Amino acid sequence: MDSKASTPLIPSPNPENTIKPKIKDRDFLKHLEAYLANRDGVDKLLKISRYATKIILASSVLPEIPTLTARLKSFESSVGLSRKAFRLGKFVQDVNALRDSRFDSKEDLILSVLAYGGEGLYYFVEQFVWLAKSGLIDAKHSRNLQKISAWAEFIGYIGSISLKFRDLKGIIEDETCLESSIEIAISRGNGYKEEEQRMKKLREKKLMKKLSIVQDLADGLMAVADIQDGKGRLSGPLFVASAGLLSAIISTHKNWVSC
């Protein structure tokens, strides 16, 4: 929630903030190795697998074969538990992001605490959810832990989306200023290759920021479904699974580009 305007306010590990220059003819297998060495990369591949399976189960695409259905449900449940193991210690990155933050206003402070504090608490509690589901902690605590986790995640997305909309506004303002500079350069007959390169990078950054907002909105909808215990208009199995798959695909793309 894993972000600030033209000059980032908060150092963040989010891929949309760390676009790397494209390397021509980069070896695919080397790139894949780097991607799979990143725990977020593997986590998002598992996320795609899980929510694709959820969509299959929710949409009744396959014929009703009890054995196959049971295997798909078991696979989905196992992948979900595996993903929680990948979150061990992940809350530390949010703690460090909050420690390294620079607050220029009370709004910066509040939104950053919501974003990083909410996400950090979510990842911290998820460790205990994993322990409860894996059998080390009494399963009777699982429901309460999941409820706390869902609320923390939802609060984190409120802060994250707010910060990213501010970032997007700053990027658009920079883009407008740069467009004016290019127009002036053209009218004077001056070169503007450097400005064009900067514009290209700005537009890439804007696209990644928009994708990141869509991802947070999709994940936020899933958090709402968890809070409502699967009840309500926004908690339909197919709708939630589709939101999860969309989020996973966007995140996979961001991680692939940044690695």
Side-chain angles (χ1 to χ4, degrees), residues 3 5 14 32 70 85-86 159 179 184 190 194 211 217 222:
S3 55
N14 290 346
L32 181 60
F86 275 92
E179 284 175 349
I184 292 172
N190 297 332
E194 184 179 339
L211 288 174
L217 287 171
M222 289 192 292

Side-chain angles (χ1 to χ4, degrees), residues 63-199:
E64 292 187 11
I65 303 175
T67 303
L68 178 58
T69 301
R71 287 181 178 179
L72 287 173
K73 287 182 178 179
S74 177
F75 172 76
E76 182 273 320
S77 178
S78 297
V79 171
L81 186 60
S82 298
R83 289 192 63 223
K84 292 185 186 301
F86 275 92
R87 296 168 184 164
L88 291 176
K90 198 171 181 180
F91 71 94
V92 175
Q93 75 180 27
D94 293 289
V95 173
N96 287 332
L98 199 55
R99 287 176 60 214
D100 295 336
S101 301
R102 185 178 67 255
F103 308 118
D104 296 327
S105 66
K106 287 185 178 180
E107 183 182 10
D108 293 337
L109 174 61
I110 292 171
L111 292 179
S112 299
V113 169
L114 287 176
Y116 292 107
E119 184 182 70
L121 179 59
Y122 162 69
Y123 283 130
F124 181 77
V125 175
E126 277 291 283
Q127 297 176 125
F128 296 97
V129 173
W130 173 66
L131 292 175
K133 286 184 173 292
S134 61
L136 188 62
I137 294 178
D138 195 323
K140 68 180 181 181
H141 301 298
S142 180
R143 182 179 175 82
N144 290 332
L145 287 170
Q146 286 180 297
K147 186 70 72 173
I148 295 171
S149 172
W151 272 108
E153 184 182 20
F154 179 68
I155 291 170
Y157 283 124
I158 291 175
S160 177
I161 292 170
S162 300
L163 289 175
K164 287 173 183 176
F165 266 116
R166 292 200 332 172
D167 290 353
L168 186 59
K169 181 180 177 182
I171 293 170
I172 292 172
E173 289 173 355
D174 289 345
E175 187 180 26
T176 302
C177 291
L178 194 53
E179 284 175 349
S180 299
S181 299
I182 291 174
E183 289 174 2
I184 292 172
I186 292 173
S187 65
R188 292 178 177 176
N190 297 332
Y192 51 91
K193 286 187 177 181
E194 184 179 339
E195 285 80 1
E196 280 188 330
Q197 288 298 318
R198 287 173 57 198
M199 178 64 75

